[in-house]
């Protein structure tokens, strides 16, 4: 009960739920200790065990993304961040998500298959030192989750992500055979930010963004870059940033070709993943975490959301019986 409730709501709310639903008095501090201990156990098992789970699919999708988690002061001391003084208040939790989309809508477009999503995440580095023969912590996590889902063996595998360099470095290192696609949602977000920067909140800006998004869907990147470098956009740092965002990712933005292949180019899975797995539980008002505490709850939450929590308890019971 503690694991199930603490994965969903705050420790104080979990304590109240246990009292209300089961008549069991457990303080918020006790819930915190028990949930973090359980989450650490789940995280340790995740690192040890990467057996394949279930059958693969003709096409499998893997996405990576990151989001900041509010930390206690001691956990960010001396770290560079986005605060006005250059300090940090958060640490980035990195998420890998896998899913399938063999279903089709009325127009024949791929739709995410219900129940096909699994998650794995933690606050850990995606960088490995150059002389090191070992992968980064996060690359190892991605490989474990991909192995569980049979991603490397899929006849067709696709990696989606935003423009973050660490995403494409990880994808290229682990899955050189995969098709890389820049998530179209993120690309359109960048265009809308540019429109806001150039025109402000005006009708002209909305029309400009709508035109650029149509060009994006049509694969007309040259027209987009031309508009971003026009005299009207000359003073916009956001427009210049967007143009530089497109150039290294242009091969990942061939959306007409990807659509012709029947591939997803934007499903909302990545954006929703960070909110569902991390945001709704760890980024609530007043919350500040240690790295160990956050990673324990993230592991617990990934286990629940991926449908693996009951399997974990069965294995735990078997070990106890042995």
């Amino acid at each position: 009960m503690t694991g199930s409730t603490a994965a969903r709501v705050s420790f104080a709310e979990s304590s109240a739920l246990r009292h209300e639903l089961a008549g069991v008095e457990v303080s918020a501090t006790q819930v915190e200790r028990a949930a973090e201990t359980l989450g650490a156990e789940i995280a340790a098992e995740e690192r040890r065990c990467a057996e394949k789970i279930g059958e693969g699919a003709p096409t499998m999708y893997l996405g990576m993304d990151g989001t900041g988690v509010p930390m206690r002061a001691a956990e960010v001391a001396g770290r560079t961040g986005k605060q006005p003084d250059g300090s940090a208040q958060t640490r980035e939790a990195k998420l890998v998500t896998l899913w399938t989309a063999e279903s089709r809508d009325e127009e024949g477009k791929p739709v995410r298959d219900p129940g096909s999503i699994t998650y794995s995440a933690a606050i850990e580095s995606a960088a490995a030192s150059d002389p090191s023969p070992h992968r980064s912590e996060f690359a190892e996590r991605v490989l474990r989750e991909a192995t569980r889902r049979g991603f490397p063996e899929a006849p067709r595998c696709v990696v989606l992500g935003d423009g973050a360099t660490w995403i494409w470095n990880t994808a290229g290192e682990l899955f050189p055979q995969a098709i890389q696609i820049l998530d179209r949602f993120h690309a359109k977000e960048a265009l809308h930010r540019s429109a806001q920067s150039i025109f402000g909140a005006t009708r002209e800006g909305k029309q400009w963004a709508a035109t650029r998004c149509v060009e994006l869907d049509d694969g007309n990147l040259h027209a987009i870059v031309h508009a971003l470098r026009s005299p009207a956009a000359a003073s916009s740092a956001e427009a210049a940033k967007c143009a530089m965002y497109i150039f290294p990712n242009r091969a990942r933005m061939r959306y007409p070709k990807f659509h012709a292949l029947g591939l997803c180019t934007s499903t909302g899975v990545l954006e929703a993943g960070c909110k569902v797995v991390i945001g709704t539980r760890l980024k609530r008002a007043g919350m500040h975490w240690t790295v160990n505490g956050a990673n324990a709850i993230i592991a617990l939450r990934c286990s629940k959301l991926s449908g693996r929590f009951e399997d974990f308890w069965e294995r735990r019971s078997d070990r106890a019986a042995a």
Side-chain angles (χ1 to χ4, degrees):
M1 288 179 65
T2 298
S4 292
T5 56
R8 293 181 171 90
V9 295
S10 71
F11 302 129
E13 290 169 311
S14 178
S15 172
L17 279 173
R18 289 202 54 163
H19 176 68
E20 177 183 346
L21 300 177
V24 178
E25 291 283 357
V26 180
S27 71
T29 300
Q30 289 173 307
V31 169
E32 179 178 0
R33 290 172 181 166
E36 291 187 358
T37 299
L38 181 61
E41 188 177 335
I42 291 172
E45 186 186 67
E46 187 279 328
R47 289 190 292 271
R48 292 194 305 267
C49 177
E51 288 90 354
K52 187 175 179 181
I53 300 173
E55 296 297 322
T59 302
M60 295 200 70
Y61 296 87
L62 183 151
M64 290 177 271
D65 205 353
T67 186
V69 176
M71 307 302 293
R72 295 181 184 176
E75 296 284 359
V76 292
R79 297 181 68 88
T80 302
K82 297 179 181 180
Q83 298 306 301
D85 63 355
S87 64
Q89 290 186 337
T90 65
R91 295 279 296 271
E92 187 177 51
K94 294 180 175 63
L95 173 78
V96 55
T97 308
L98 281 101
W99 71 96
T100 62
E102 296 302 307
S103 305
R104 295 292 184 269
D105 63 13
E106 296 82 0
E107 299 177 356
K109 295 179 181 178
V111 178
R112 174 178 53 81
D113 299 319
S116 69
I117 297 181
T118 58
Y119 305 100
S120 186
I123 299 172
E124 59 191 9
S125 175
S129 57
D130 290 338
S132 173
H134 304 293
R135 301 184 185 93
S136 69
E137 291 177 298
F138 184 70
E140 291 288 357
R141 177 176 300 278
V142 172
L143 186 58
R144 290 193 301 269
E145 188 62 20
T147 300
R148 291 187 189 96
R149 297 296 306 274
F151 180 82
E153 296 83 33
R156 194 167 60 169
C157 47
V158 181
V159 176
L160 282 93
D162 61 20
T165 302
W166 63 265
I167 292 175
W168 304 119
N169 287 346
T170 303
E173 175 188 6
L174 299 179
F175 315 114
Q177 80 281 16
I179 299 169
Q180 295 185 2
I181 299 177
L182 183 78
D183 189 285
R184 197 156 41 95
F185 174 84
H186 288 89
K188 290 188 174 182
E189 269 195 329
L191 292 173
H192 280 280
R193 287 195 300 270
S194 296
Q196 176 72 25
S197 173
I198 298 167
F199 300 101
T202 64
R203 180 178 298 179
E204 184 181 8
K206 292 179 180 179
Q207 182 58 53
W208 186 94
T211 301
R212 302 291 83 77
C213 287
V214 170
E215 292 168 346
L216 183 74
D217 291 338
D218 292 341
N220 193 352
L221 301 183
H222 178 78
I224 296 174
V225 172
H226 180 75
L228 289 167
R229 292 177 173 171
S230 67
S235 62
S236 169
E238 194 65 47
K241 180 180 175 182
C242 187
M244 293 303 296
Y245 174 78
I246 290 172
F247 183 77
N249 288 298
R250 59 194 183 280
R252 304 182 183 107
M253 300 172 73
R254 296 172 293 175
Y255 299 120
K257 176 181 178 179
F258 299 144
H259 291 157
L261 293 172
L263 298 175
C264 294
T265 59
S266 183
T267 65
V269 173
L270 292 181
E271 190 70 14
C274 281
K275 292 178 181 177
V276 169
V277 178
I278 311 296
T280 58
R281 177 61 183 88
L282 282 85
K283 298 174 72 170
R284 296 171 65 178
M287 288 187 173
H288 296 88
W289 298 86
T290 64
V291 170
N292 289 340
N295 280 345
I297 299 304
I298 291 170
L300 182 58
R301 195 162 174 78
C302 286
S303 178
K304 289 287 292 184
L305 293 170
S306 300
R308 296 171 181 167
F309 192 59
E310 297 304 323
D311 294 335
F312 164 76
W313 277 106
E314 287 184 14
R315 292 190 296 271
R316 194 175 192 265
S317 298
D318 291 342
R319 289 195 297 270

